[in-house]
Amino acid sequence: MSNLTLIIPAKNEKESLPKVLDELAKFNFKKNIILEASDKLTIEAIKTYDCEIIYQDSKGYGDALKKGIETVQTEFFCIFNADGSFDPRELDVMIKKLEDDKYDFVFASRYEKNCGSEDDTFITLVGNYIFTFLGKTFFKLEITDILYTFVMARTSCAKNLELTSQDFSFCVELPIKAKRTGYKICTSKSFERSRIAGKKKVNAFRDGLKILLSMIKLFFRH
Ligand SMILES: Nc1nc2c(ncn2[C@@H]2O[C@H](COP(=O)(O)OP(=O)(O)OP(=O)(O)O)[C@@H](O)[C@H]2O)c(=O)[nH]1
Ligand SMILES: [Mg+2]
């Protein structure tokens, strides 16, 4: 068995997630799907697939990822979306950065040379630029796409971070706490595909505001 577990947060992904799992079938990674027990349609859609279903404790994207990290048993894990936007062929380059170059966290980026996105809108692009800038300026974070959250990491390091965000603030809490703890961080080139089907869960303004407040709190609370 491989030393990598994919943590796949899913909410109302009955159309996309089976296709994502089909694409992942040829890779030898463990796949843990984290969702709410009430999400019956998604659960029904993947019941014949080779994956583990884990129920989150409460609600929210951050809540699902916290549970995902707590329950990983392999040396490495990667946060992997259920909507088809992440390309599994990029995982190989990311894992080499952990195994060979001994980084602890790899943050994939859509905004470096030869990278891109089919899924970005003007608002998400500008929002991401601003949050990435705030990360660099106030937290000395040398990552280029702070909100993407296509992240591969050494499990033992991530388990030390005491992550608490239940919502999309998780996207900034993870890199900020990883940096503060002194872990070795790098980026990796990525191209984001458009989601296969279903609806976007992020609301640019509501979630943007929560993320901003969370960054302010993290700045003042060391
Ligand atoms: N368990 C769980 N998963 C969630 C929740 N919110 C989002 N997700 C999953 O997290 C991943 C990212 O959410 P998306 O809605 O794709 O966010 P996004 O990539 O910014 O939005 P798109 O541009 O539409 O792809 C997807 O796999 C979602 O199904 C949640 O509250 N609980
Ligand atoms: Mg998405």
Side-chain angles (χ1 to χ4, degrees), residues 9-11 13 34 56 60 81-83 119 195 200-202:
K11 182 178 179 180
E13 299 287 8
I34 329 290
Q56 59 188 102
N81 280 355
D83 63 359
D119 210 30
R195 73 163 29 252
K200 188 184 187 73
K201 314 298 174 313
V202 179

Side-chain angles (χ1 to χ4, degrees), residues 64-92:
L65 292 178
K66 259 195 312 173
K67 183 78 180 182
I69 293 172
E70 266 164 42
T71 49
V72 176
Q73 291 183 342
T74 50
E75 185 180 6
F76 308 120
F77 72 87
C78 188
I79 298 170
F80 201 84
N81 280 355
D83 63 359
S85 53
F86 294 175
D87 187 338
R89 291 172 301 179
E90 293 174 2
L91 295 168
D92 192 43

Side-chain angles (χ1 to χ4, degrees), residues 11-136:
K11 182 178 179 180
N12 302 337
E13 299 287 8
K14 68 175 165 44
E15 299 101 344
S16 303
L17 186 51
K19 300 203 171 80
V20 170
L21 293 172
D22 280 335
E23 188 180 23
L24 288 171
K26 60 176 177 288
F27 297 88
N28 183 29
F29 309 129
K30 198 166 180 311
K31 295 161 282 274
N32 290 1
I33 318 294
I34 329 290
L35 38 60
E36 285 176 38
S38 61
D39 192 351
K40 300 275 186 254
L41 294 175
T42 307
I43 296 166
E44 179 65 23
I46 57 170
K47 67 175 188 217
T48 59
Y49 284 83
D50 166 34
C51 60
E52 187 171 338
I53 296 181
I54 296 170
Y55 298 119
Q56 59 188 102
D57 297 325
S58 179
K59 284 175 185 299
Y61 172 78
D63 179 70
L65 292 178
K66 259 195 312 173
K67 183 78 180 182
I69 293 172
E70 266 164 42
T71 49
V72 176
Q73 291 183 342
T74 50
E75 185 180 6
F76 308 120
F77 72 87
C78 188
I79 298 170
F80 201 84
N81 280 355
D83 63 359
S85 53
F86 294 175
D87 187 338
R89 291 172 301 179
E90 293 174 2
L91 295 168
D92 192 43
V93 176
M94 293 168 82
I95 203 164
K96 288 203 169 80
K97 292 181 191 252
L98 300 176
E99 284 182 328
D100 303 344
D101 306 334
K102 305 292 174 209
Y103 283 101
D104 300 312
F105 288 82
V106 183
F107 291 86
S109 172
R110 297 163 288 183
Y111 305 125
E112 295 184 3
K113 203 166 172 233
N114 301 323
C115 299
S117 172
E118 286 173 352
D119 210 30
D120 235 358
T121 62
F122 180 68
I123 300 209
T124 56
L125 178 75
V126 170
N128 220 315
Y129 179 82
I130 293 172
F131 285 115
T132 299
F133 173 80
L134 293 176
K136 272 203 183 96

